[in-house]
Amino acid sequence: MISLSESLNTALSEDTFLRLTLSQPIPPMTGGSPKVTVRPVLLRDETRYQWTYRIGSQEHHENLSVEELLQRVATVFCVTFADAHLFTTVEDLTFKLHRSGQVRFKKSKPSMKAEPDLSHNREKQYLIPVGVPCPFLIEIGVMLPNGQVRSAMYHKFRQINRYLEFVNDLLPHLPAEGTLNVVDFGCGKSYLTFALYHLLTRIHRRDVSIVGLDLKQDVIADCTRIARILGCTGLQFEVGRIESFQPREHVHLAVSLHACDTATDDALAGAIRWQCEAILAVPCCQHELNEVFGENVLPGLAEYGIFRERFAAMATDALRARLLDVHGYRTQILEFIDMEHTPKNVLLRAIRRLSTVDSESDARRAVYDRLKGDLAISSWHLERVLT
């Protein structure tokens, strides 16, 4: 027997969902809402499901995630409402709870047309546009074969495009000719590694040599499989540790996305030693400073655990940026993705200076030393591995 929950889950996961209506209150209405309707809406570039109901003359709205919607429907159908009508691009499904306690099910041809792209009022010129099939996005499950972005993956689609904007800004600082050599430290499932490859080879028509490095053998095997399917010449994945990796050629761009704790520092140290033209780093969890802060560092703040943790993360990234400046880079700290999607939203973007003046170098060193002094830090991981 097909259930409403299963059918709704399938429609949401396959991006065929259009509308859901719940009606026939149980028991007959005594002041509650006679009907609930659910439709997809786009909020801050992420799909939500608007739960709409009316009490008296006032209409109410709640915007739910996929998980919240599935849980809500499972809770109210056959308890609060006896009828459910699920509209999809493939078919219409009707579920009715009868007096016997059984749910009867009927299937019919689709009666509702798909609404225009939910993002119609938020037009944005993405480097990878909506509606144009992109092979790697299709392969990793972000996009459907027709170019439509899966509703549940829109935040990932937006993150990928945001990342490509940062990389695009770096291109004038990389060699204009020849093969671009890139190392992606801690590449994981490599959504962004494949995105980088797409930008450089498909959009900018550059020859590349990109190495994705990670400790997990099964992850590297899967990334290698996808690269083979997509025919990604110049892209390879290797199992290895960040701190011991040795490149075969000069590395122009070093990338470290969500490498845990001091692994980010190991990646930065490698990039500095190799004198990479550009560095992109999105740090992950950061514990080192949190464990070594003295009692005199902002005692009114640091005695609260959650504030101490957040302050330690900000202090770590500030130290990283200042130390990159000391070693000849012009460094920015930017917002990678909206905080609502992930708290790990800080991006360090560093571009190697073409020349340095001794007085300016001394000034940058003084700023770095002063920051260390303010934090009461005598030494820390990145500084130690560089010396």
Side-chain angles (χ1 to χ4, degrees), residues 286-291 293 301 306-319 375:
Q286 302 172 42
H287 305 299
E288 183 186 13
L289 294 194
N290 192 20
E291 296 170 356
F293 273 152
L301 179 149
I306 188 170
F307 287 162
R308 182 185 178 94
E309 180 181 345
R310 291 176 181 176
F311 176 70
M314 289 190 293
T316 301
D317 288 334
L319 282 169
L375 296 171

Short mmCIF file of all heavy atoms in Angstrom, two decimals, residues 286-291 293 301 306-319 375:
data_model
loop_
_atom_site.label_atom_id
_atom_site.label_comp_id
_atom_site.label_asym_id
_atom_site.label_seq_id
_atom_site.Cartn_x
_atom_site.Cartn_y
_atom_site.Cartn_z
N GLN A 286 38.27 24.85 14.99
CA GLN A 286 39.54 25.39 15.43
C GLN A 286 39.63 25.29 16.95
O GLN A 286 38.87 25.94 17.66
CB GLN A 286 39.67 26.85 14.98
CG GLN A 286 39.55 26.98 13.46
CD GLN A 286 39.48 28.42 12.99
OE1 GLN A 286 40.20 29.27 13.49
NE2 GLN A 286 38.61 28.69 12.03
N HIS A 287 40.56 24.48 17.43
CA HIS A 287 40.62 24.20 18.86
C HIS A 287 41.90 24.70 19.53
O HIS A 287 41.91 24.86 20.75
CB HIS A 287 40.51 22.68 19.11
CG HIS A 287 39.28 22.07 18.50
ND1 HIS A 287 38.01 22.44 18.85
CD2 HIS A 287 39.15 21.11 17.55
CE1 HIS A 287 37.13 21.73 18.15
NE2 HIS A 287 37.80 20.93 17.35
N GLU A 288 42.95 24.92 18.77
CA GLU A 288 44.27 25.16 19.37
C GLU A 288 44.25 26.34 20.34
O GLU A 288 44.62 26.20 21.51
CB GLU A 288 45.30 25.40 18.27
CG GLU A 288 46.70 25.59 18.84
CD GLU A 288 47.71 25.98 17.78
OE1 GLU A 288 47.29 26.33 16.65
OE2 GLU A 288 48.92 25.95 18.09
N LEU A 289 43.83 27.52 19.89
CA LEU A 289 43.88 28.69 20.76
C LEU A 289 42.90 28.58 21.92
O LEU A 289 43.17 29.07 23.02
CB LEU A 289 43.59 29.96 19.96
CG LEU A 289 44.61 30.36 18.90
CD1 LEU A 289 44.36 31.80 18.46
CD2 LEU A 289 46.04 30.21 19.39
N ASN A 290 41.77 27.94 21.66
CA ASN A 290 40.77 27.77 22.73
C ASN A 290 41.36 27.05 23.93
O ASN A 290 40.96 27.28 25.07
CB ASN A 290 39.58 26.99 22.17
CG ASN A 290 38.38 27.04 23.10
OD1 ASN A 290 38.28 27.91 23.96
ND2 ASN A 290 37.47 26.10 22.93
N GLU A 291 42.33 26.19 23.66
CA GLU A 291 42.93 25.39 24.73
C GLU A 291 44.13 26.07 25.41
O GLU A 291 44.56 25.62 26.47
CB GLU A 291 43.36 24.03 24.17
CG GLU A 291 42.18 23.20 23.66
CD GLU A 291 42.62 21.97 22.88
OE1 GLU A 291 43.85 21.82 22.68
OE2 GLU A 291 41.75 21.19 22.46
N PHE A 293 44.44 29.76 25.58
CA PHE A 293 44.18 31.12 26.05
C PHE A 293 44.40 31.22 27.56
O PHE A 293 43.92 30.38 28.32
CB PHE A 293 42.74 31.53 25.74
CG PHE A 293 42.55 32.12 24.38
CD1 PHE A 293 41.34 32.01 23.73
CD2 PHE A 293 43.59 32.82 23.74
CE1 PHE A 293 41.15 32.55 22.47
CE2 PHE A 293 43.41 33.36 22.48
CZ PHE A 293 42.20 33.22 21.84
N LEU A 301 34.56 37.80 28.69
CA LEU A 301 33.97 37.09 27.55
C LEU A 301 34.36 35.62 27.56
O LEU A 301 33.52 34.75 27.39
CB LEU A 301 34.42 37.76 26.25
CG LEU A 301 33.94 37.16 24.92
CD1 LEU A 301 33.80 38.26 23.88
CD2 LEU A 301 34.90 36.09 24.39
N ILE A 306 30.81 29.13 24.94
CA ILE A 306 30.47 29.32 23.53
C ILE A 306 31.13 30.57 22.97
O ILE A 306 31.60 30.59 21.83
CB ILE A 306 28.94 29.36 23.33
CG1 ILE A 306 28.61 29.34 21.83
CG2 ILE A 306 28.31 30.57 24.02
CD1 ILE A 306 27.13 29.14 21.56
N PHE A 307 31.23 31.65 23.80
CA PHE A 307 31.90 32.86 23.35
C PHE A 307 33.40 32.62 23.22
O PHE A 307 34.04 33.12 22.30
CB PHE A 307 31.64 34.01 24.32
CG PHE A 307 30.24 34.56 24.25
CD1 PHE A 307 29.73 35.31 25.29
CD2 PHE A 307 29.43 34.32 23.15
CE1 PHE A 307 28.45 35.82 25.23
CE2 PHE A 307 28.15 34.83 23.08
CZ PHE A 307 27.64 35.58 24.13
N ARG A 308 33.96 31.87 24.16
CA ARG A 308 35.39 31.56 24.11
C ARG A 308 35.73 30.81 22.82
O ARG A 308 36.72 31.10 22.15
CB ARG A 308 35.77 30.72 25.33
CG ARG A 308 37.26 30.36 25.41
CD ARG A 308 37.51 29.43 26.59
NE ARG A 308 38.91 29.04 26.67
CZ ARG A 308 39.82 29.67 27.40
NH1 ARG A 308 39.48 30.73 28.12
NH2 ARG A 308 41.07 29.24 27.43
N GLU A 309 34.87 29.85 22.46
CA GLU A 309 35.09 29.06 21.25
C GLU A 309 35.03 29.93 20.00
O GLU A 309 35.87 29.83 19.11
CB GLU A 309 34.05 27.95 21.18
CG GLU A 309 34.18 27.05 19.96
CD GLU A 309 33.11 25.98 19.93
OE1 GLU A 309 32.44 25.75 20.97
OE2 GLU A 309 32.92 25.36 18.87
N ARG A 310 34.02 30.80 19.94
CA ARG A 310 33.88 31.66 18.76
C ARG A 310 35.01 32.68 18.68
O ARG A 310 35.52 32.97 17.59
CB ARG A 310 32.52 32.36 18.78
CG ARG A 310 31.35 31.40 18.58
CD ARG A 310 30.01 32.11 18.70
NE ARG A 310 28.90 31.18 18.52
CZ ARG A 310 27.62 31.52 18.65
NH1 ARG A 310 27.29 32.78 18.93
NH2 ARG A 310 26.66 30.62 18.48
N PHE A 311 35.36 33.24 19.83
CA PHE A 311 36.46 34.21 19.84
C PHE A 311 37.77 33.54 19.42
O PHE A 311 38.57 34.12 18.68
CB PHE A 311 36.60 34.83 21.23
CG PHE A 311 37.76 35.76 21.36
CD1 PHE A 311 37.76 36.98 20.72
CD2 PHE A 311 38.89 35.39 22.10
CE1 PHE A 311 38.85 37.83 20.81
CE2 PHE A 311 39.98 36.24 22.20
CZ PHE A 311 39.95 37.46 21.55
N ALA A 312 37.98 32.32 19.88
CA ALA A 312 39.20 31.59 19.50
C ALA A 312 39.26 31.37 18.00
O ALA A 312 40.33 31.47 17.38
CB ALA A 312 39.26 30.25 20.24
N ALA A 313 38.10 31.07 17.39
CA ALA A 313 38.06 30.86 15.93
C ALA A 313 38.41 32.16 15.20
O ALA A 313 39.20 32.17 14.25
CB ALA A 313 36.70 30.35 15.51
N MET A 314 37.82 33.28 15.64
CA MET A 314 38.12 34.56 15.00
C MET A 314 39.59 34.95 15.21
O MET A 314 40.24 35.44 14.28
CB MET A 314 37.19 35.64 15.56
CG MET A 314 35.75 35.50 15.11
SD MET A 314 34.73 36.93 15.55
CE MET A 314 34.72 36.79 17.34
N ALA A 315 40.09 34.72 16.41
CA ALA A 315 41.48 35.07 16.69
C ALA A 315 42.43 34.24 15.84
O ALA A 315 43.43 34.75 15.31
CB ALA A 315 41.77 34.84 18.18
N THR A 316 42.11 32.95 15.67
CA THR A 316 42.95 32.07 14.85
C THR A 316 43.02 32.57 13.41
O THR A 316 44.09 32.64 12.81
CB THR A 316 42.42 30.63 14.88
OG1 THR A 316 42.38 30.16 16.23
CG2 THR A 316 43.29 29.70 14.05
N ASP A 317 41.86 32.92 12.85
CA ASP A 317 41.84 33.37 11.46
C ASP A 317 42.52 34.72 11.30
O ASP A 317 43.16 35.00 10.27
CB ASP A 317 40.40 33.43 10.95
CG ASP A 317 39.81 32.05 10.74
OD1 ASP A 317 40.59 31.11 10.49
OD2 ASP A 317 38.58 31.90 10.83
N ALA A 318 42.40 35.58 12.32
CA ALA A 318 43.11 36.87 12.27
C ALA A 318 44.62 36.65 12.29
O ALA A 318 45.37 37.30 11.54
CB ALA A 318 42.67 37.74 13.44
N LEU A 319 45.09 35.73 13.14
CA LEU A 319 46.51 35.41 13.17
C LEU A 319 46.98 34.85 11.83
O LEU A 319 48.07 35.19 11.34
CB LEU A 319 46.80 34.41 14.29
CG LEU A 319 46.86 34.95 15.72
CD1 LEU A 319 46.89 33.81 16.71
CD2 LEU A 319 48.08 35.85 15.90
N LEU A 375 46.78 38.71 22.45
CA LEU A 375 46.16 37.41 22.72
C LEU A 375 46.96 36.58 23.72
O LEU A 375 46.54 35.47 24.07
CB LEU A 375 46.01 36.62 21.41
CG LEU A 375 45.08 37.23 20.35
CD1 LEU A 375 45.18 36.47 19.04
CD2 LEU A 375 43.63 37.24 20.85
#
